[in-house]
Every structure is written in structure tokens, then in C-alpha cells.
């Protein structure tokens, strides 16, 4: 048992990749294709929902949690859980950062995928700033954080509802069907009437258009886009 | 008769908007929806091809010119013409700039739409730099350029085959059918086998995905994106 | 009666444009010419002071409120009011954001004009960040905010006491006299001794020089400058 | 005798500061106050006109040269001369760059002041690019350039007719009268009818407004603005 | 006695330069050479530690304070003190800002040197944001801050553990030995085992490599790099 | 035999990586460690010198060519050759671009490494612009270029003598000795007196300091830095 977060799927063991989602469907929409590819390649991939999306116009926390489990199965995740912050109030506070840092020490991801700092939704840029402090705390020996210190190696930013200037593109043509199914597993959001630009039955068609746009730039059919803030240490032979 | 350029459609009279296209289909692909909307709103709109696209893998200059005429009819253009620069060698030279400046003095556009300076294709960024010099020459009384000096009021940059950070978006949902037809009028490029990312029968589907991406950001279904380099003088009551 | 704010002039009805001012004279100094032009064009324009400027070296809240009323009359505003945050402590907190969101739901502006995020004064960049969260909350159905959800269509940033790189310029030559009178209506700030770069009898001369600078760039005599962060959806026929 | 350039005022001896002007009045308008302050502080200051401004709507090369001499006297310059490039065609070519490099080897400035690369006028950004190549050639031992190699220590960019984001500001309040007189010495440009935004009897009033704008940002009354591209080596005790 | 901070070395009198350090060794590592040069040139230079570094893996607050005193002697500082914020929780709050503002009113620095806003360590960017609010409060007559209002003239940002794009470089070749000794005076951090990229006996060698990198760009052997956000008012004769 | 270039080492067969060097030692200094690592990993790596460095103060073309051969052996290159452009006049012309494009069609690199566009040396930014045009021509079927069309997949920019903001870092600790030897193989440049910042016996020490600087940022001991302009398509499982 770990007080920092709650597991809804799989076991909270060290992961290769962890994606932070302010609300239950953000990870699928913004980085889902990439996470599926990684899971298919045998990586241990997880999603940590920062809130349970309780401010969303549709769905309830319980329904949305069940949808998260279903989507996790489809994506082949190793783990999915919830941090339990308040939807609509995700900001960088020392208290929330210590909580997230404790989660990072349990989940020990090598790569952390977080929302982009330029976004219309305050929970998205709030999550970005919160993650920055938590990544620092997680590695600090004297921080008041449970667990063994852990250093995240790479931080990638995924796209929310604003334009970004990507550093990296990931080909997601091969996982289109799984990706669409994982998004649509969030039935409470996408099976009813259109509520907003995001909460709409057309969500897959819209985000596929986005993937097609990035695909054009990467000379593939569909791609997801990520921004990296620090210079990325790479093996040149893998380029 | 005017030595600076050759008319292929309509009459070379003063225009409201003029779009510069390095090759015969660039204007349709990058700014077609906007040009069609303007023509439908009663504006005098023209396209000036800088080259005849003679280096393209498919089509011949004559065939492509006929396609330009057909597309001009569909778009409702007031005029279309060719400057006759060499395809693949569109660069900013004083000679080419004087020629383009002479054309600007005849066509007298209030708004000029030019390719973006960040592009993979040298003819595209070459056209951008060339247009900058020509705009200056066109207004200079003592320039060795035929015709009455003319000052272009606004310059907009349209997207080619690289990502841009747009200043302006234009809703093009209502002109989707005309726009698709205008592109496909360039049969030599888009009715045969796929040659490249651009020269492909899928061109409409691909660029529609782009319009969908920009549409998402502008909260409309489809939008075209433009960048403006100088601050734009606007009537606030029209915002 | 609405607990979120206090009206000092006019009636709190839906507006076309609303300008957020950290202190009682910021709107006049930074965006006054534009607001006057809009009012003269028949738009319903309002100003919401976030604080009553009680930390200012000169004037008292009551005196400054009377000056606000006088200036509102001169500008032709439809409404002016105060949110009652603490001068010098305008920061982005959930509590303040909910309060501002409630005001936005009453005033329902289509265009919101806010201070720029790059500014020397913490209340100015604080107001920017606060407005971003409030705009989001105002449209969120399940937010704990009184009133019907409202979505602001456009957000413009006006210049405070730092340099900006403007997206838009507005010609304000025709409203110079009204604009100067509206600023000088804040007698407690501008009729006495010079206290700072801003609080000085020379304020009109200084900000007119700024308008002249932007005017030069827009090829008019005097202009106000605004920055827009997202791409702006426009009607091309109005350009 | 040196073929690279022609002296119109003073003696071509090593200078502390040299300002490159595409046309006869650009240096006064963009950097005049700073050059006057330097001359008054005992520095050897010069201006090299790249062209004789023969494409200007008003004036002739001979008249403009006389105006240059008169202005040089007022400013207290040590030297003024002309490189003789063609007005309207100032571009970065190896030939022009070798000519400018030869001039730099004679004039040996420690600080070089050049037009900004972001400008509407092709001669201005052309001059910037040309100066970059010439600075390199001037220091290259094996370059085919007459004279002893010389390395310019600092390059400053001055403002033309576009907005810039300045690195440095120079207080020019104390030299307002001399500066205005030096500009107005170019009678052929500024004593007649208004021809353009720049060629107008209001030039001093307009550029003083610009200086007032930058002054506000630097907390002085009037300032000129410069951009520096490379990090500037400074003595911290002088800050 | 002043409640805002505690003096550990020298007397709290008006300073020329003040460097803010989140933790006891940050000033030496990031700006030490420059501070030493200034002290040697007769300037009154001080360092204010925002925290006592109590979260550091090695050392205790008392030991680290003694090391600060020793280093202050070596550097020739006029004053060194501690603000007493909590290590690991340095954020921009009104309370902390008022405390720092009160310190600024006592120490009255003309130039303030603060950590850069782009840094991996939350205490570093936190200190940047905190300093911005405090600088504003310190000059505000009606702020609830003890002491006479004071306006800081210049703010410089020094490098922490991320790359920066410097505005200014300072030659620090002549103070290499003193600088190394001042860093190594922090024995608890640098005399033991390597704990992290920063806490390591190799710290001098690593940061000297950084100085060598900046030196190459400034054409000196070793340089420290600073960024300035606002345009810098300079005496051109000193360039 | 191929008229486009001359081979000085190895056989001109298709390569994995090709580095463009304006002068004979630029590739070693800016990207040498990375090229050595790639060669050790079994990649076919080549260097194409654009000029023979005949304007350099020291050495002759023949001597420098022999040094290139010696260095190529040390680095384990598959091929090294010369394009024969004029040192000091490397600019983007159609003629030079066609020549380089022909070379690219023979050498067929998947990854092309080119000088950065921001550099003090005109040959460096000239090479960047030239490479952009040549990459385009090489893939254009109807270009007047000998050989089968070839599309370069990735373009990386390496650092010259200006600061850059890197996208990628490559760990080069393990190849320090070979790298130093490869540089020093250019005896004519580095075995004699110091001529400039670059031509000096201290070159290895200086560039190792640079590698140490980038290493600090990448958390390795020594790293080389590269910038990538377009978003980079990557396999996420390799991150």
C-alpha cells in the first residue's frame, strides 16, 4: 500500500515510461499511439491520472475509472493509477509535488511524458509545472518523500489543445485501430452529444487529422508530436 | 502587352489580393480556400506563377498552363498569369526583382500572399526573399521599373511543406468542394501515381487534414493558416 | 446584486469588449484609445479594475473610484466596476480566479483585453495568469462558479511598462483628445508631482510618444499595440 | 589614395567607431545621438555611406554629399566617406565584401555599427549581410584584400524602419539639438514636401518619439536602441 | 538588528552589487569570478543566501555557514547573510517577497544578480520569480515593507545547471585561483565523495570547462555568462 | 570517375553518414567524436571538404590533403573527398548546388551533417545554405544533376565558432584519444604558433572544454552538440 496514489490497473512496479494525465483521457488523446507502440515493443508503460476528472461535464469518477481500466487493457499498459488531486485545481504546490514525487519513487520511470506548458487548460500547464518540481524532489536524498531517490532520465512534453513546435515525431500508423478503441473506451466522454472541441464523438477523426498533419512533416502517414526542453542525449547509431 | 509577365486567364487589372506561386499548384494547395472565399465575397483575386513548373516530374508547361486556367475558373479568380522565372532557380536577384516589381505595378494588389521563408523547397523561400525586394522596388519612384509606383499594404505568408506558427486563421469549411476541385484541376500532378509527399492523388485528403488541424485551433472545422511578419493594422470593431 | 464585483458606472450587462485593469488607470494608459474607438463605433465596452489601487503613493480608493467614473463617462463606456483584489498581491489563485470567472459570466465579453505577461509590475503579469485560469473556469459547466457558462472568443494583451512585440496595431489618431482627457481624469495620479515613470503629469506626452512609435510602424500617426497569443481567426475580406 | 572608398570629410585614419549607412542620412536617423555623444567624449567616429543615395526621390548625389559634409561637421565626426555601391542594389557579394573589407583595413574601427537584418528596406538588410562577410575578410591574412588584417571587436545593429528588440540603450537627451541639426542638414530630404514615412519634414519629431519610447524603457528621457548578436564582453565594474 | 535576514559576515550596509543564492554555494559556482573581480575593483559586493541549504545531502546549516564566512573572506565580500527561507521550497509568495524586499531596502544594491528562470532546480527558478516581486515591492512607497524605498538599477541572471543564451560575458581569467579557493571553501560539499553533477570534488574542473566555453565565445581564456532581460542602458564610450 | 568531386581516401560508395566541411579540419573539430563513434559502430562514414582550405594562413592544399588522409585513417572513415569550391567564397549558388547535389547522388548519405547557419565564418553559413539547396536538387527527378535521385533522411547541424542551442547531444568520452589524434593530424594548423582562436596548438584543450560543457548538460563527461531544424522521427523504444 502506498498513500501517494491509488492503483486501478496492474501492479505498481518500476516502469520504463510513465505518462502524466491531468484527466482520465488526456494520455490516450495526446500520446496514446506512442504508448501503445512502446507496450507492443515490450516496454513497461503506465499512466498516472492526476485527477479523476470529476469536473468534466459528463461521466462520474467511478464510471471514468472503469473506462480507464478498459482502455489500459486495450493499450497493453503495465499499470494505471490515480493521484487524486482536485480536477480544475492542478497547480504546482509543495504538497502536491511531494505526493507526485513519492509516486515517482515507486513507479521509477526512465522516461516521463507530461502535458505541455503552453496550453489553454490550466490543469495542463499546472501539471507541467508540478511535474518539474516533483522530478527534482524525487531525486533529492533529503526531501521529505517516502521511498528511495529516483532520477527520471528524460522528460517529453505531449500536445494538449494548443499548437506546439515539436522536437520529436513518432510514427503511429500501425496502431491506429488500438488507439481509436482506447480513446472510445472512454464512453462517457465520446459516445454522447458533442459538448466541446474535445468532448465529442468526432474525437478520433479530429485527432487523427492532427496525426496526419504531423505525419506529413515526418513523411509517414500518422505521427504523434512531442517537445523536449533539454538537449536529448542520443546514440548516433540509432538515428 | 507587358513584358514583365504573361496573362493566362482574365485581364491584368488592379487586384485586391495577389498570391505568388513558385509553381502552378502551390497557391491552390497553400491558400486556395482563402482565395476562393475572397473571390466569392467579390474581391478581385489573382495568382501569379513565378515559374511554369517545368522541372516537375509530371506534366509539361503547356498542360500545366491549361490546368491553371481551369482552376482559375473554378476559383473565380479575376486574373492568373506567369512571370516566367526558371523552375528550381527562383532566387532573389535584382533582375528577377525588377521583373516582379513591374508586375506588381500593373496588378497593384492591396494584399500580397507569398510563400513562407521557412520551407524545405528552395523555390519557396527564394520566392519569399524575391517578393520582399520587389515590394520595395515597386514603391520606389526612382527604381528602373515600368509603371506607376505602388505600395502593397499587407503581406501574408502561406504554408508550404514545413510547419509554421500562424498569426491568422481563415475558416474554409464552406468552400471545401470548390477547393478540392481547383486542386484536382491540376490533373497532371494529382491524377496519376504518387511521386512524392505533394505530388499524389491523396493531396486533397492530406491537405484537408492540415486544414482540420488548424481548424481545431481556431474552433472551426477547416482553416488555412497564415503568418504575418509586421504588426497588422486592424479595425478593432471588426475583431 | 452580484457578490463577485462592484459596479461603479453603468449597468452590468453583457459586453462586447472587457478590459481588465490591475489598477484604476492601467486600462486608459495601455488600451484607452482602442476602447474609446470601440465605444464610438457602438460597441458595449467595459473596464474591470482588479484592485482599487490602494497601494498607489497618491490618491485614496474613494478618490480613485470617482476618477474612474469621470473617465468612464469621457470614454463612453457601458460599464465599469471593481473586483476588489488586494493591490500589490494580484496573483493567480483558485479563489481569485473563481471570483473573476463569476464576473466574466455576468459581463460575458466576446473580446477580453488583459495585461501582458512580460511586465515589470507583478500585478500586471499576475493579472495575465489569473485571467487565463478565469477564462477557462468561466466556460466549464461543472466549475463552482455562479451563472451560465461563457466562452470568451478572443484574448488580446495590452502593453504595460515593458516593450512588447505586437501582433495588432489600432489607429488612435482620431481619439487623441478624448484619450488624453480620460487619462487626466485620474487627477490624483497625474495632476501633482512626478512620483515615478508612470505617475507623472507628463504621462500623456510619454504615452503619446509610444503611440507615435507604433504609429510609425503601422504607417499611421498614432497607434496602440496588442499581442495575441493564439492564431486569430479572421474574415479575410476584412483585411 | 585608396581605391576602396572616397573620403568626403576628414582624414581616413584609424577610428574608434564606424557606422555603415546604406544611404547618406541613415546613420544620423538611426544612431546619430550615440555617434555625437561618442565624438563629444573624444572618440574618433566615422560614417561610411555604402551608396550615394542616388535612387532617392529627392536630391542628387552631389547635393547629398555636401549635406553629408555639413552634418559631419555638426556631429563632430573624424571622418566621413562613400563606398560607391549602387543604391537599391546593396547585397552581399564577394566583390562588394572585398571592397568593404579593404575600407575596414584602412579605417580599422574597434566598434562597427551596422543596419539591422530585420528591416523593410532591402539595402538595409543587404548591408547587414555584406558587413558580416567583410568583417570576416578584413581579419583573414590570405584574403585578397589590400592592407593589414584588422579584427573588429564589436558589432552593434542600429534600428532602421522596423521594430527591434534592443540589447542596449544609449541616453541621448543631452545631444538633442545637435542631433536634430545633423538630420536637418540633409535639406534635400527633409526641407521639402513629405514623400514617405521617412522623407518628411516631420522626421525629427517622429524619430524623437521613437527615442522617447526607448527612453521610457531605459528610465531616461530619450534613448537610441541597439541590438547585439553575440554575447558582449564587458567590464562589470562599468555596469 | 533587522528581522528580515541574518548577517554572517561583514556589516549590512548599502552595497554596489548583491548576488542572491538559493543555497550556500550557488553564488560562487555561478558568478564567483565576477563578484571577486568587482570586490578587487573596490566595489561593495554581497551575497544573500535565501536558504541555509539544509536539504543538501552533505553538510549541516552550521557547517555550511562557517564555509560561507571563509569563502566571503577569500572573495573579498563586504557582506554575506541569510534570508532563512526553507531549502527546497523557495517559491514566489507575497510573504517571502516582503521579507526579501525588506532586505533589499537595507542592502540597497545598484545591481542585483539572480538565478536564471530556466533551470532544472525549482529553488533556482523560484528565486528568480521571488526576486522579481521583491524588486517591485522594494521601490513601492506604500508597500508594507520596513525601510526606505529602494530601486534596483539593473538585474543580471547568472547560470545555474542549464544552458543559457548569454547577453554579457565577464573575463575571469585573472581570478581563477581565488575563485577555485572560494568554491573549495565549501568543504562539506566538495571535499568528499561525488554525490551529483554539482556536489563533487571535480566541481572546479567542471565549471572551469564552462568558463572556457564562454571564454572561447568572448575571445578570452575564461568567462562567466549572464543574461539581461531588459535592454541595458550603457555609456557608449565604455564599450 | 565523377566530375563533381575528388576522392582522397577510400572509395566513393553509398554512405550512412556524410559530414560537409567547409575546410579540411572543420568536421574533426565540430563533429569528430560522433563520426568516430559511428565508424566504430560499423557505419559507413564520410567527410566531404567543400574547399581545400587554400586561404588558411598556414599549410598548402597538398599538405592539408595529406593531413586529411591521415586523419581519415585514424577516424576509421569509409571515404573522404573534396568538392573543390573556392575557400572564402562558399555561397549558395545554383552552380555549386548542382555540383554538391551530384556528389550527394553518388555518396547517397542517409544522414547529412552540415555547419550551423549561425556562425561568424561566412563559409560556414554559406555551406549551410548551399547544402539546403543541394539536398533538394538531389531528390528532384528533373534536376540537371547526374545520377539517380537521392533523398537525404536527416540533416544535423554541428557547431562551428558560435554558441548554439542544441537539440541532440552525443556522448564522446570513449573516443577522446582518437578524436584528439585526428585533430592533431592536421599538423600544419595545430603544430605551430597560435594564429587565431581556432588555429592554435591548444585546439584540443579548447574544444574538449566545449565537450565538457555539453557533457555537463547531458550528464556525461564529454559530449558533442547538434541542432536539428525539423522535428525528428524517432523510434520511441530507442529513447
Amino acid at each position: 500500500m502506498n498513500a501517494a496514489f491509488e492503483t486501478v490497473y496492474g501492479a505498481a512496479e518500476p516502469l520504463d515510461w510513465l505518462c502524466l494525465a491531468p484527466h482520465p483521457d488526456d494520455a490516450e488523446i495526446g500520446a496514446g499511439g506512442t504508448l501503445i507502440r512502446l507496450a507492443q515493443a515490450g516496454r513497461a508503460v503506465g499512466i498516472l491520472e492526476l485527477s479523476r476528472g470529476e469536473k468534466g461535464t459528463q461521466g462520474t469518477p467511478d464510471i471514468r475509472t472503469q473506462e480507464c481500466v478498459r482502455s489500459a487493457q486495450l493499450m497493453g499498459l503495465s499499470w494505471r493509477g490515480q493521484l487524486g488531486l482536485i480536477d480544475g485545481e492542478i497547480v504546482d504546490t509543495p504538497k502536491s509535488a511531494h505526493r507526485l514525487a513519492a509516486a515517482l519513487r515507486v513507479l521509477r520511470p526512465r522516461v516521463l511524458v507530461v502535458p505541455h506548458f503552453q496550453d489553454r487548460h490550466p490543469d495542463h500547464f499546472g501539471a507541467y509545472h508540478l511535474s518539474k518540481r516533483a522530478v527534482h524532489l524525487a531525486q533529492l536524498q533529503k526531501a521529505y518523500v517516502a521511498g528511495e531517490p529516483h532520477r527520471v532520465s528524460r522528460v517529453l512534453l505531449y500536445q494538449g489543445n494548443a499548437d506546439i513546435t515539436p522536437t520529436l515525431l513518432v510514427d503511429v500508423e500501425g496502431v491506429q485501430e488500438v488507439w481509436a478503441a482506447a480513446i472510445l473506451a472512454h464512453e462517457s466522454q465520446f459516445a454522447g452529444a458533442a459538448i466541446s472541441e474535445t468532448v465529442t464523438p468526432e474525437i478520433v477523426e479530429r485527432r487523427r487529422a492532427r496525426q496526419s498533419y504531423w505525419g506529413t512533416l515526418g513523411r509517414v502517414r500518422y505521427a504523434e508530436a512531442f517537445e523536449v526542453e533539454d538537449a536529448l542525449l542520443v546514440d548516433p547509431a540509432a538515428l
Side-chain angles (χ1 to χ4, degrees), chain A residues 25-34 119-121 124 158-164 170 172-173 175-176 179-184 190 196-216 221-225:
Chain A
D25 51 9
D26 288 328
E28 278 89 342
I29 294 176
T34 301
D119 200 286
R120 293 175 184 163
H121 198 311
H124 286 219
Y158 67 95
Q159 189 173 10
N161 53 31
D163 188 25
I164 68 169
V170 173
V172 294
E173 180 179 0
V175 295
Q176 282 297 304
W179 171 71
I183 289 181
L184 296 177
F190 307 123
S196 69
E197 195 274 322
T198 320
V199 183
T200 165
E202 292 183 358
I203 186 69
V204 169
E205 182 192 342
R206 288 197 185 175
R207 288 307 177 263
R208 187 170 276 147
R210 175 192 286 183
Q211 293 180 345
S212 174
Y213 177 71
W214 296 124
T216 295
R221 191 162 287 270
Y222 299 110
E224 282 176 349

Side-chain angles (χ1 to χ4, degrees), chain A residues 11-227:
Chain A
E13 291 174 334
L15 299 167
D16 293 315
W17 285 61
L18 176 66
C19 182
L20 300 186
H23 317 97
D25 51 9
D26 288 328
E28 278 89 342
I29 294 176
T34 301
L35 299 177
I36 293 164
R37 265 195 64 176
L38 286 160
Q40 291 184 352
R43 297 295 178 280
V45 178
I47 295 175
L48 176 61
E49 257 80 44
L50 300 181
S51 81
R52 301 202 295 161
E54 65 269 20
K55 288 275 170 50
T57 307
Q58 295 179 318
T60 65
D62 283 354
I63 289 171
R64 300 192 74 172
T65 296
Q66 290 165 27
E67 293 167 352
C68 280
V69 172
R70 176 74 191 121
S71 170
Q73 289 167 332
L74 290 167
M75 297 176 79
L77 298 184
S78 295
W79 178 84
R80 188 161 197 159
Q82 300 172 337
L83 195 66
L85 302 183
I86 300 174
D87 185 7
E89 298 186 20
I90 298 175
V91 291
D92 172 21
T93 64
K95 193 181 160 193
S96 294
H98 279 79
R99 202 153 145 187
L100 179 51
L104 293 177
R105 286 191 173 182
V106 174
L107 301 168
R108 310 184 83 71
R110 195 170 48 78
V111 183
L112 187 68
V113 188
V114 305
H116 199 278
F117 55 89
Q118 285 182 318
D119 200 286
R120 293 175 184 163
H121 198 311
D123 281 349
H124 286 219
F125 56 77
Y128 165 81
H129 290 293
L130 177 62
S131 74
K132 205 158 177 178
R133 184 175 304 276
V135 162
H136 178 74
L137 283 170
Q139 73 190 355
L140 207 65
Q141 205 155 324
K142 283 198 185 171
Y144 299 123
V145 175
E148 276 301 293
H150 173 70
R151 194 170 71 69
V152 168
S153 290
R154 299 175 181 283
V155 178
L156 272 62
L157 283 57
Y158 67 95
Q159 189 173 10
N161 53 31
D163 188 25
I164 68 169
T165 302
T167 314
L168 303 178
L169 297 177
V170 173
D171 182 345
V172 294
E173 180 179 0
V175 295
Q176 282 297 304
E177 286 185 31
V178 181
W179 171 71
I183 289 181
L184 296 177
H186 296 272
E187 276 187 43
S188 65
Q189 308 301 306
F190 307 123
I195 297 289
S196 69
E197 195 274 322
T198 320
V199 183
T200 165
E202 292 183 358
I203 186 69
V204 169
E205 182 192 342
R206 288 197 185 175
R207 288 307 177 263
R208 187 170 276 147
R210 175 192 286 183
Q211 293 180 345
S212 174
Y213 177 71
W214 296 124
T216 295
L217 296 170
R219 297 177 183 273
V220 295
R221 191 162 287 270
Y222 299 110
E224 282 176 349
F226 299 90
E227 203 168 319

